[in-house]
Amino acid sequence: MIKSNSGIRKTDVINRRMFIVGAAKILVFVGIVARLFSLQINENKKYLTLSDKNRIREWKLPPTRGNIVDYFGNVIAGNLKVYQLHIIPEQVENFNYLLVRLKKLLNLSDKKIANINKLKSELKPWDSIIVSENLSWSQFVKINNYLYDLVGVKPVMTISRNYPFNDVYTHVLGYVSQPNEQEILDNQTIQERFVPGMKIGKLGLEKRLENHLIGTNAIQRYEVNAYGKRINQLEHQKGEQGSKIRLTVDTEIQKACGELLNEKAGSISVMDIYTGDIIAMYSSPSYNPNLFLFGISQDEWQLIRNNPLKPLINKTLSGLYSPGSTIKPIVALSALENKVINTKFKVKCTGKMELYGQTFHCWKEKGHGWVSLKNAMKQSCDTYFYEVARLLGVDRLNITAEKFGLGKKVLGDYFDNEKKGLFPNTKWKKNNLGKGWVLGETLITGIGQGYIQSTPLQLCMMTAQIANGGYAIKPKIIVDSNPVSYEDAKQSMESGLLFDTDSEVLIDKKLFKDKKNIKIIQEAMFASTNERFGTSYKSRIDDPKYQFVGKTGTAQVKRISKRERELDLELEQIPYKDRDHALYVAYGPYINPRYALSIIVEHGGSGSKAAAPIAKKLFKLIIDRHDLRNKQSNFERITV
């Protein structure tokens, strides 16, 4: 009986265990089915996407940069088709044979062949090796003709930057080239759109406007195998070209500036005296930015770098020069504004001025005799301005000079290389040199020498603000989306107000205390150019349509010794680096002024001989282009 009950209990235990195991199996099976249902039905899209990501690859192509155009819409920085040569190593049957053929067809150097072999060892077999980024048309045709014998070679047509006017706009536009690691890290937009082969702005407006010009990437989608090799192209998504930027510059005038400064070191700036538009901004000598697009050769780079005329320096913005006598209109204006002198004030010039045992010479050895403000300006008498500066003082002169733009950047943040220059005062010397100001320094500041340093563009702005009647302008080189017309700009100035596009308010921009003083300076500058004995009289234009007024300047680059003064050498007898800089500032037409300019010819000798004649040739073109510019402006206002 006991044995029977024991057998029953064992059977119950076995049955319970089998039930538990069976139930567990059922639960596991249900769990697996539920998971499979979840994976295949509920999360189908998620895993389909992950699968596609393993199967599909995206390749970004270099973005197409936006065009930069001049005021009239002429493309000055654009894009063109270029022909490249790629090799796909895995398709090549005999790599050494292929290189021998390419070397012969394209005249490749041994160094280039070595670089190709190096790239081959670094890349995957199916990746492309770029043999040449810029094949000529004849080379491209030759390669295509021999493709049957060049297995693995792929001729490619793509887009690259192009500067159609070569060296005319170099110091305005800059150039593009491949970015370095730091440039990629510093710009979020470049980081997001960077692909090998992409080029970015390295200098000038190309660099400053990078985020506007860069464009978006075109995208190609390919199906790939397990090793990442492309099997089939699935889609091509076209990228958007970067924004078009329109400048205020006139190409014809810019080109003329380059021709007039040919084989000279210097700068020419032209500005609208009411709107502040930069009409031309040329630095000489220049260089061709197209050389940098595909990697400049060492020989070409050394020629540019070692050129004694320094083509790499943007002299218009970065060149710092003593303004010489071109500063005299500001000195006279400051003295009039501060009631230190009037039009009847006269000084006797004997050719020099003695002060505490030091001699300050006038450029005219025997002197000018008794001169008033008008005659002193006309003949650029140094002695007169020594005395005016002595009576005025450098601190009051500094205030007037800074009002008219000296010692400040003109184009703000548009150019990284723009310098603000220096117009000194007593506080500046104490803070920077640790010494007190002396009276003799005031005298030489009064004729634009000494510590004073200015850029050619500052002198152009100074002259423009004298020309427009003494009102502040805001120079610009990019056309506004809603440009202010010439008539509106002039009217707002004459009311003493100027619309500031940054703050979007009208602000008082009168730079004078008494408008009569501006008129006195304008008449004195007229005499300097258009009356006998004026320093630029030989460069005058009698025709009222083209008649302009200006002021010459000759800036010493070294102190003239007593012996050198006695020798009185001709320009050709003086070593080039010891010759004075030649300067000229002007505006015109005189009756209804519209444009101002500044010219500097490094080591040109004198402003009257080297710089003023350039202004005479240039003003005719500037005035003749005036009507075309007005028509363009009026047309845009009507269409808008």
Side-chain angles (χ1 to χ4, degrees):
M1 189 70 179
I2 294 172
K3 290 181 179 179
S4 176
N5 289 338
S6 176
I8 293 171
R9 283 197 293 272
K10 286 181 178 179
T11 302
D12 290 341
V13 170
I14 291 170
N15 288 338
R16 282 198 299 271
R17 288 177 179 175
M18 289 180 67
F19 175 78
I20 292 169
V21 171
K25 287 181 178 180
I26 291 171
L27 287 173
V28 170
F29 180 76
V30 170
I32 291 172
V33 170
R35 182 58 179 160
L36 287 173
F37 181 86
S38 175
L39 291 173
Q40 295 184 33
I41 306 300
N42 293 342
E43 299 187 42
N44 174 61
K45 290 184 179 180
K46 173 183 175 181
Y47 288 100
L48 181 63
T49 302
L50 290 173
S51 174
D52 283 342
K53 284 185 177 180
N54 287 330
R55 183 175 62 86
I56 298 171
R57 293 284 188 275
E58 287 187 352
W59 272 267
K60 293 194 296 184
L61 302 179
T64 302
R65 293 180 74 80
N67 291 338
I68 303 177
V69 301
D70 75 352
Y71 189 79
F72 296 97
N74 301 304
V75 176
I76 57 178
N79 303 291
L80 52 68
K81 294 177 181 178
V82 295
Y83 306 103
Q84 297 182 344
L85 181 63
H86 297 194
I87 296 176
I88 304 172
E90 73 162 357
Q91 298 177 3
V92 178
E93 296 175 355
N94 187 327
F95 202 82
N96 289 331
Y97 171 77
L98 178 64
L99 291 184
V100 170
R101 295 289 288 129
L102 289 177
K103 181 178 181 180
K104 184 176 180 181
L105 288 172
L106 300 178
N107 195 26
L108 300 178
S109 66
D110 291 336
K111 183 178 179 181
K112 183 68 176 177
I113 296 297
N115 286 337
I116 295 171
N117 278 314
K118 182 180 178 183
L119 284 172
K120 178 179 177 290
S121 65
E122 294 172 351
L123 299 175
K124 295 177 181 178
W126 53 82
D127 286 335
S128 295
I129 297 172
I130 300 177
V131 176
S132 176
E133 287 191 274
N134 188 28
L135 289 174
S136 67
W137 173 247
S138 61
Q139 289 174 322
F140 189 71
V141 170
K142 186 183 290 187
I143 290 296
N144 278 278
N145 288 338
Y146 286 93
L147 271 181
Y148 67 89
D149 193 33
L150 302 173
V151 180
V153 166
K154 184 180 179 182
V156 176
M157 186 172 68
T158 186
I159 299 294
S160 180
R161 202 58 161 166
N162 176 55
Y163 301 100
F165 294 99
N166 296 325
D167 63 350
V168 171
Y169 278 105
T170 302
H171 291 102
V172 176
L173 300 176
Y175 62 91
V176 299
S177 189
Q178 293 186 4
N180 58 43
E181 183 178 354
Q182 191 60 48
E183 288 169 330
I184 297 172
L185 293 173
D186 290 343
N187 189 312
Q188 184 65 35
T189 303
I190 294 175
Q191 282 185 45
E192 294 170 356
R193 302 179 191 179
F194 175 76
V195 292
M198 188 180 89
K199 295 178 174 65
I200 67 167
K202 290 284 189 171
L203 203 65
L205 293 178
E206 287 278 24
K207 180 179 180 181
R208 172 65 179 80
L209 303 172
E210 179 65 36
N211 289 350
H212 298 281
L213 293 167
I214 192 172
T216 60
N217 302 89
I219 296 175
Q220 292 178 336
R221 290 187 175 88
Y222 286 90
E223 185 177 3
V224 299
N225 62 18
Y227 298 99
K229 179 183 175 182
R230 302 178 192 182
I231 299 172
N232 182 38
Q233 182 172 324
L234 301 176
E235 182 186 0
H236 177 83
Q237 181 180 320
K238 190 176 181 181
E240 292 185 5
Q241 185 174 0
S243 302
K244 182 172 78 171
I245 305 295
R246 181 175 165 220
L247 305 188
T248 60
V249 183
D250 184 336
T251 296
E252 292 304 311
I253 297 175
Q254 183 81 357
K255 283 163 60 179
C257 292
E259 292 165 3
L260 291 167
L261 287 177
N262 186 36
E263 297 185 356
K264 300 180 180 72
S267 165
I268 298 177
S269 303
V270 184
M271 184 183 297
D272 187 306
I273 68 172
Y274 292 107
T275 66
D277 287 357
I278 303 295
I279 311 301
M281 194 173 78
Y282 189 83
S283 175
S284 179
S286 187
Y287 57 91
N288 189 348
N290 291 309
L291 296 172
F292 291 84
L293 298 181
F294 306 107
I296 188 169
S297 71
Q298 189 64 25
D299 290 342
E300 289 172 323
W301 171 243
Q302 291 302 325
L303 282 174
I304 295 173
R305 185 184 179 190
N306 297 324
N307 188 328
L309 300 184
K310 300 179 181 179
L312 291 172
I313 296 177
N314 184 342
K315 297 175 177 65
T316 306
L317 299 173
S318 303
L320 294 176
Y321 306 92
S322 297
S325 294
T326 61
I327 198 68
K328 289 176 180 176
I330 289 297
V331 178
L333 177 63
S334 185
L336 290 168
E337 291 278 277
N338 286 285
K339 300 186 184 303
V340 172
I341 64 167
N342 55 37
T343 54
K344 296 179 181 178
F345 177 78
K346 291 185 177 181
V347 172
K348 185 177 182 180
C349 174
T350 61
K352 60 184 179 180
M353 179 179 181
E354 302 286 344
L355 184 68
Y356 301 121
Q358 189 173 355
T359 303
F360 297 85
H361 294 273
C362 181
W363 69 267
K364 189 174 183 181
E365 186 179 356
K366 295 183 179 179
H368 295 93
W370 287 98
V371 288
S372 61
L373 189 156
K374 181 179 178 181
N375 283 329
M377 189 79 72
K378 178 167 71 175
Q379 300 182 68
S380 199
C381 175
D382 292 330
T383 303
Y384 180 90
F385 285 94
Y386 288 145
E387 180 61 16
V388 170
R390 185 184 71 82
L391 296 171
L392 175 64
V394 72
D395 288 337
R396 288 190 289 188
L397 176 56
N398 168 272
I399 293 171
T400 306
E402 289 193 348
K403 277 185 182 180
F404 278 79
L406 300 178
K408 299 177 181 177
K409 288 186 177 182
V410 176
L411 288 174
D413 298 327
Y414 279 115
F415 295 88
D416 293 339
N417 57 349
E418 181 176 4
K419 295 182 179 178
K420 67 177 185 177
L422 169 68
F423 202 101
N425 58 16
T426 54
K427 184 178 179 181
W428 169 85
K429 187 182 179 186
K430 189 68 176 177
N431 290 342
N432 289 275
L433 303 181
K435 298 178 181 179
W437 190 268
V438 297
L439 187 55
E441 292 168 338
T442 300
L443 268 61
I444 60 173
T445 302
I447 63 165
Q449 297 285 165
Y451 297 116
I452 181 173
Q453 296 283 286
S454 59
T455 67
L457 194 59
Q458 286 175 353
L459 295 177
C460 186
M461 181 178 175
M462 173 196 80
T463 308
Q465 292 176 147
I466 292 173
N468 69 26
Y471 298 97
I473 57 177
K474 191 170 185 179
K476 58 182 182 296
I477 197 167
I478 297 176
V479 176
D480 294 331
S481 55
N482 296 305
V484 178
S485 69
Y486 155 69
E487 291 80 7
D488 291 342
K490 185 177 181 181
Q491 186 176 358
S492 69
M493 283 180 182
E494 290 175 348
S495 67
L497 299 172
L498 181 71
F499 184 77
D500 191 305
T501 53
D502 290 337
S503 59
E504 296 188 348
V505 295
L506 285 169
I507 52 179
D508 186 1
K509 280 295 179 179
K510 288 190 293 187
L511 302 176
F512 54 82
K513 296 175 184 177
D514 188 342
K515 193 167 185 177
K516 291 180 181 178
N517 293 329
I518 298 289
K519 188 64 178 176
I520 291 169
I521 299 304
Q522 291 174 340
E523 290 172 351
M525 292 177 70
F526 175 86
S528 179
T529 303
N530 297 284
E531 294 183 6
R532 287 188 64 195
F533 305 116
T535 53
S536 54
Y537 181 67
K538 290 182 179 179
S539 297
R540 74 192 183 283
I541 299 177
D542 293 326
D543 185 346
K545 179 181 178 180
Y546 303 107
Q547 191 176 46
F548 62 92
V549 306
K551 182 70 192 77
T552 56
T554 302
Q556 293 179 8
V557 297
K558 58 166 287 189
R559 187 181 182 89
I560 301 175
S561 67
K562 183 178 179 180
R563 174 173 171 74
E564 288 172 330
R565 195 176 298 278
E566 291 172 349
L567 288 173
D568 193 23
L569 299 172
E570 294 294 328
L571 181 66
E572 294 75 16
Q573 298 173 297
I574 302 172
Y576 175 79
K577 289 187 177 181
D578 292 342
R579 299 174 189 174
D580 298 334
H581 294 324
L583 300 96
Y584 191 63
V585 296
Y587 68 87
Y590 176 67
I591 295 175
N592 187 20
R594 182 65 191 270
Y595 301 102
L597 61 76
S598 69
I599 299 169
I600 179 166
V601 180
E602 289 188 359
H603 309 293
S606 72
S608 59
K609 292 180 180 179
I614 292 176
K616 180 178 181 179
K617 295 175 182 177
L618 194 56
F619 254 114
K620 287 187 176 182
L621 177 62
I622 293 171
I623 303 305
D624 286 340
R625 299 284 295 174
H626 171 73
D627 289 340
L628 292 174
R629 197 174 184 90
N630 265 357
K631 286 179 182 178
Q632 178 76 15
S633 178
N634 292 333
F635 173 76
E636 288 169 3
R637 288 201 298 276
I638 292 170
T639 54
V640 169

